[in-house]
Amino acid sequence: MNIFEYQKWITDFYKERGWYELNSFIRVNFLTEEVGEVSKAVRTLEIGIDRPNHRELSKEKQIENLKEELGDVLDNLFILADKYDIDLTEIMESHKEKLTNRFK
């Protein structure tokens, strides 16, 4: 699946469930929450969790959790871009150009 197909699919998925209608301010808050979950997943992989009630997960399960959380972040980014009719390939191309020019 390419980036365009996925953006269309996730947009339709969110619209079918009534999630797309949430305003962008709320969507950014969901994005922030998901970024926090990515942070927790990385922390678990790198230094673990030191809590008495925490169940230790295998490395494979920890990686699966990180993939899931990164997917949640991506979905929120795709929805925000769609709401403002932003082409994600344009973002990638312009950001690549910015970094290339900045760090020549």
Side-chain angles (χ1 to χ4, degrees), residues 67-81:
K67 286 181 189 178
E68 181 180 325
E69 299 306 341
L70 287 169
D72 291 341
V73 167
L74 280 176
D75 289 350
N76 280 284
L77 291 174
F78 279 106
I79 296 301
L80 282 166

Side-chain angles (χ1 to χ4, degrees), residues 30 41 45 48 98:
F30 286 144
L45 276 160
K98 177 184 97 172

Side-chain angles (χ1 to χ4, degrees), residues 10-88:
I10 199 65
T11 296
D12 292 343
F13 185 85
Y14 273 51
K15 285 179 178 177
E16 288 170 7
R17 285 154 182 78
W19 302 341
Y20 189 89
E21 288 70 29
L22 297 172
N23 71 44
S24 296
F25 184 75
I26 292 171
R27 181 66 43 213
V28 167
N29 281 284
F30 286 144
L31 173 61
T32 302
E33 179 182 330
E34 296 302 342
V35 169
E37 291 176 8
V38 167
S39 178
K40 182 178 177 183
V42 169
R43 180 190 70 185
T44 300
L45 276 160
E46 295 298 322
I47 63 173
I49 295 178
D50 187 18
R51 282 193 227 142
N53 63 347
H54 177 73
R55 183 173 58 95
E56 192 65 34
L57 299 175
S58 68
K59 186 80 156 186
E60 294 81 21
K61 292 283 186 193
Q62 291 176 15
I63 295 291
E64 284 303 312
N65 183 52
L66 177 58
K67 286 181 189 178
E68 181 180 325
E69 299 306 341
L70 287 169
D72 291 341
V73 167
L74 280 176
D75 289 350
N76 280 284
L77 291 174
F78 279 106
I79 296 301
L80 282 166
D82 190 76
K83 283 182 168 281
Y84 294 102
D85 199 29
I86 296 172
D87 179 341
L88 291 168

